[in-house]
Amino acid sequence: MSADLNPGAVGAPRPRIEGPLKVTGAARYAADVPVPDLAHGWMVTAPISRGRIRDIDASTALGMPGVLGVLDHRNAPRLNPRAGNYFGPDGSMQLLQDDVIPYAGRPVALAVAETPEQARAAAAALRVTYDVEPHDLDFSLEHPAARPASTAFGPEADTGDVEAELSTSAVVVDERYRTPEESHSALEPHAATVWWDGGHVYAVDSNQGAFSVSEVLATLWSIDRERVHIRAEHVGGGFGGKGACGPQVILGSMASERFGRPVRVVMTRVQVFEATASRPPTDQLVRIGADADGRLRAIHHRPAYALSPLAEYIEWCTEQAKILYAAPAIRTQLTAVPLDILPPASMRGPGATPGSFALESAIDEVAERLDIDPLELRLRNQPPVGPVSGLPFSSRRLVSCLREGARRFGWAARDRRPRTRSEGPLLIGTGMATTSFSAGVFPSTASITAEADGTFTVSVGASDIGTGARTALTAVAADALGAGAERVRIRIGDSDLGMAWGAGGSRGTTSWSFAITEAARKLRENLGDPARPVTATVDTTTMIDYQPGRERQTYSAVFAEVAVDPATGEVRVRRLLGMFAVGRVINPLLARSQVIGGMIMGLSMALHEENVRDPRTGRQTNGDFAGYHFAAHADVPDVEADFVPDYEPQDPSGFNGLGEIGTAGTAAAIANAVWHATGTRQRILPIRLDRVLEPADPGTPDAA
């Protein structure tokens, strides 16, 4: 059986397999699955940022109709403190274990009742008193507790003599850039339905990786992972916010174990904002030196991000400084600042998105001061090999992205002088930015069964969080098997399907596809026996080269046009165009949807999104969809996205990931366009009205 008997499933723009289920409302999410004898849990969260619980009075709640009980630190099951995330133990998972309040929004109790309305009423009837202690949310790079960040992603860059190169540069940019805390804002709130049976725990959960959640939950309960069964068949968005074992499934498992019934915990929108992780704020210093002809001599990127003492985390803002541009001296210094906050988590384009805003804004400032076209400056400084590692690039089509994007956008006709184009009272500007995002694969397992009726059942623990993973993996399997896509059935979203990487880090599809391709290869070797069904299973752990000796990245070039009203401070993005190099594209329809969605998220970051906290309590004051602004339909312009021809030689099918690359770079392109329109550089996100508003000319009648 040859894989080239039916070529073309990969590369065809096929609509989503599960699309009809979603548009008709038939797709069941974690809060929709019917379970007999179901009870409901309602969270109670702390209104203070630091302190202790003095007392919880549950007497009124326990006497209310339908109430089964209240869990708090005095009666909750004990959990294993070693449980954690990718970086080690995570204290935010130790729910209801003690009276300590380490951040605002910490769950302190769970009211359990027959109906969600009864549980909510019981939660409101709880009387919790606290001893308040001083909290620290004063984030800055100069914070006295600031420390070097973990180097789990690799060592810091320190090549050449940065100070010497800066001292001999014709132009030096030395500026500070800031990005705020942001929330993931997935449409589906975090929810889980959990029950125990015969010493096994079962959950239908909203998450980005069923297998990894099963591992963490097993550790929390100190049981074998094989006794934990997590399903996440349909997930209504994640963006990184559902990548960990969330409060909903932890509390649900505790309540189900205590009351002997299935328990459903559905977080409110406010609870999602306050009790699930966010992208941390950043404070970034960038110094860049360049010769008069635009050749870069030094890049020094020194960013800081906030984290919690409860868990290690890395917001890897410095990756692009090591990849994008050639310079004799490059230094990065990533700094972590512990504060009284919930541990942050990856948010689409983690590290790269805030990091590229700073770096690409600074690169634009170099071009401005040298009076060189920003596109030309970037083209002049493309490295032949990794600028820091010295490794060859596995594939690097960044120049193609830049040139083709510039052609389609009409960049050549641009007057690079700021504030030269207007339409009535509006100032018009254009800007661009580029970025990269690391790519690769992680271990996964996959099984393929050749059925007696000539079809194939593909089982892989993948997650579809709205990306169209089912559809993409069906195409991969069809081509690998040499069969029509209509003969392939896909099973995903279940921890019982075996070990698999989650939907994150732009490595989900490549990791699952690698496993499926290898399983198909193994199956074809075993199909000499006509007896069916025949199953082949592959674990790619031993097949992955974890030190391949090449820089493997995806790339983008984003171009933006904005209209700015200096009298009101309003910024409107009129056009966005992105060109992407992401390896071989599995499904152009879904891939374009992914990167367009990412660009819209970058637009939202540039102009709208920021968590606002009350300095007295530390609580978020805009933790709902009315107060937390993100791009609506009226904010989204004509968005064009396309891909340059690319093929990743380190992948057996030529694939790379594309989940993050659309977001990273977009905010910088918009900020650079606002500078071009107004002549004022915006170094703090979001670009709010008050930051753009210009004072009225005292000589005009309106100023009187």
Side-chain angles (χ1 to χ4, degrees):
M1 197 172 199
S2 172
D4 60 5
L5 292 178
N6 185 44
V10 169
R14 301 172 184 266
R16 298 172 191 236
I17 293 171
E18 80 284 2
L21 294 177
K22 289 182 174 177
V23 299
T24 60
R28 284 178 169 168
Y29 293 82
D32 301 329
V33 177
V35 177
D37 198 29
L38 182 64
H40 298 266
W42 201 276
M43 283 176 24
V44 178
T45 58
I48 65 172
S49 283
R50 186 175 177 83
R52 289 184 177 272
I53 300 169
R54 180 186 303 167
D55 182 54
I56 298 179
D57 182 358
S59 57
T60 301
L62 292 173
M64 298 175 70
V67 175
L68 301 179
V70 174
L71 283 181
D72 60 48
H73 68 280
R74 300 168 300 185
N75 63 354
R78 298 298 94 184
L79 301 176
N80 185 343
R82 294 194 302 273
N85 57 30
Y86 309 110
F87 303 107
D90 185 344
S92 68
M93 296 179 182
Q94 298 300 308
L95 301 180
L96 313 185
Q97 300 298 289
D98 55 38
D99 62 354
V100 177
I101 305 300
Y103 56 85
R106 174 79 159 186
V108 298
L110 185 77
V112 183
E114 297 287 351
T115 71
E117 293 81 8
Q118 291 169 334
R120 182 173 190 169
L126 288 178
R127 295 293 175 259
V128 186
T129 55
Y130 302 90
D131 291 322
V132 181
E133 300 172 5
H135 64 264
D136 181 9
L137 297 177
D138 189 16
F139 171 68
S140 75
L141 181 60
E142 293 83 11
H143 192 286
R147 61 168 175 81
S150 167
T151 55
F153 288 163
E156 296 284 7
D158 191 9
T159 64
D161 189 331
V162 167
E163 301 304 329
E165 296 293 345
L166 289 172
S167 67
T168 56
S169 295
V171 164
V172 174
V173 166
D174 186 349
E175 298 292 351
R176 190 169 196 155
Y177 307 85
R178 295 180 175 91
T179 64
E181 178 187 1
E182 296 177 78
S183 290
H184 298 81
S185 303
L187 184 61
E188 178 203 20
H190 292 58
T193 304
V194 193
W195 65 97
W196 288 79
D197 185 8
H200 290 238
V201 59
Y202 299 82
V204 182
D205 183 39
S206 181
N207 65 59
Q208 295 179 219
F211 186 84
S212 62
V213 170
S214 74
E215 288 184 305
V216 174
L217 201 60
T219 303
L220 282 166
W221 284 97
S222 299
I223 60 178
D224 293 337
R225 197 215 61 81
E226 290 72 19
R227 293 168 58 191
V228 180
H229 313 270
I230 306 292
R231 282 191 289 134
E233 186 175 1
H234 295 289
V235 181
F239 312 117
K242 296 176 182 174
C245 188
Q248 71 282 356
V249 72
I250 298 173
L251 294 172
S253 69
M254 297 167 78
S256 178
E257 192 272 345
R258 174 53 54 92
F259 298 109
R261 291 175 58 177
V263 175
R264 177 170 293 161
V265 177
V266 181
M267 298 172 69
T268 67
R269 186 64 62 189
V270 172
Q271 289 172 345
V272 171
F273 271 96
E274 67 182 4
T276 67
S278 302
R279 190 199 300 277
T282 72
D283 183 4
Q284 306 182 55
L285 294 178
V286 182
R287 295 191 299 164
I288 300 179
D291 288 334
D293 64 355
R295 302 290 177 181
L296 300 184
R297 298 184 65 89
I299 299 173
H300 183 196
H301 192 184
R302 187 184 170 209
Y305 63 92
L307 87 170
S308 166
L310 295 176
E312 188 58 80
Y313 174 75
I314 304 172
E315 186 72 10
W316 199 20
C317 298
T318 55
E319 181 185 12
Q320 284 73 41
K322 305 175 186 178
I323 294 294
L324 286 178
Y325 302 110
I330 299 176
R331 182 190 304 160
T332 61
Q333 295 170 281
L334 187 60
T335 300
V337 179
L339 299 175
D340 296 320
I341 60 172
L342 174 67
S346 297
M347 183 171 171
R348 200 171 193 176
T353 299
S356 66
F357 165 68
L359 180 65
E360 286 299 284
S361 295
I363 288 289
D364 238 54
E365 297 205 49
V366 173
E368 170 196 345
R369 297 180 194 189
L370 289 172
D371 194 22
I372 294 176
D373 182 90
L375 173 67
E376 178 59 29
L377 179 70
R378 288 168 170 87
L379 290 172
R380 288 183 190 179
N381 290 282
Q382 291 301 302
V385 297
V388 173
S389 69
L391 297 175
F393 292 105
S394 181
S395 173
R396 187 181 174 96
R397 301 286 186 269
L398 178 53
V399 170
S400 298
C401 291
L402 287 165
R403 294 195 184 282
E404 180 60 15
R407 185 189 69 79
R408 296 191 189 190
F409 193 76
W411 185 264
R414 174 185 189 262
D415 185 335
R416 63 175 174 265
R417 295 173 300 168
R419 214 178 176 98
T420 56
R421 181 181 165 198
S422 62
E423 294 178 8
L426 302 180
L427 303 174
I428 311 301
T430 53
M432 56 88 59
T434 186
T435 195
S436 63
F437 196 85
S438 61
V441 295
F442 285 126
S444 293
T445 58
S447 295
I448 304 179
T449 300
E451 307 287 0
D453 61 0
T455 63
F456 298 89
T457 300
V458 179
S459 301
V460 61
S463 299
D464 194 331
I465 59 173
T467 57
R470 290 176 183 81
T471 311
L473 296 179
T474 297
V476 171
D479 275 10
L481 291 164
E486 71 282 355
R487 292 171 57 198
V488 175
R489 291 190 297 269
I490 193 86
R491 298 175 61 217
I492 66 170
D494 192 329
S495 63
D496 289 347
L497 298 178
M499 179 270 294
W501 178 248
S506 289
R507 285 167 168 79
T509 302
T510 51
S511 300
W512 307 323
S513 296
F514 183 22
I516 288 172
T517 301
E518 293 301 321
R521 189 194 317 277
K522 184 176 179 180
L523 181 65
R524 292 197 307 269
E525 295 171 354
N526 296 333
L527 283 182
D529 186 346
R532 293 194 181 195
V534 179
T535 299
T537 300
V538 164
D539 180 342
T540 61
T541 301
T542 60
M543 302 177 184
I544 296 172
D545 183 357
Y546 296 96
Q547 293 181 323
R550 289 180 179 271
E551 294 281 4
R552 182 173 175 179
Q553 302 274 328
T554 56
Y555 301 93
S556 73
V558 180
F559 297 79
E561 179 182 299
V562 302
V564 181
D565 188 336
T568 65
E570 184 179 20
V571 177
R572 288 284 180 177
V573 177
R574 289 185 167 185
R575 280 197 298 156
L576 273 180
L577 182 148
M579 293 300 302
F580 301 91
V582 295
R584 187 179 174 208
V585 175
I586 298 174
N587 184 318
L589 180 66
L590 300 183
R592 190 169 290 111
S593 174
Q594 272 285 286
V595 294
I596 286 176
M599 292 166 71
I600 293 171
M601 203 166 179
L603 180 158
S604 198
M605 177 187 186
L607 301 183
H608 304 291
E609 296 192 45
E610 62 175 331
N611 288 3
V612 179
R613 294 191 175 273
D614 183 338
R616 295 178 301 108
T617 66
R619 297 199 72 167
Q620 187 175 350
T621 61
N622 63 336
D624 54 43
F625 280 179
Y628 183 86
H629 293 172
F630 49 77
H633 283 286
D635 300 303
V636 178
D638 176 26
V639 182
E640 181 183 351
D642 209 348
F643 306 93
V644 300
D646 195 15
Y647 188 94
E648 174 51 58
Q650 294 189 72
D651 186 86
S653 302
F655 303 149
N656 262 337
L658 53 80
E660 331 274 350
I661 193 67
T663 303
T666 302
I670 293 171
N672 291 336
V674 171
W675 168 81
H676 186 236
T678 65
T680 300
R681 183 68 61 177
Q682 298 292 329
R683 301 187 182 96
I684 302 175
L685 295 184
I687 305 174
R688 298 191 316 236
L689 304 181
D690 59 301
R691 291 171 176 156
V692 179
L693 185 66
E694 297 181 0
D697 185 342
T700 63
D702 289 342

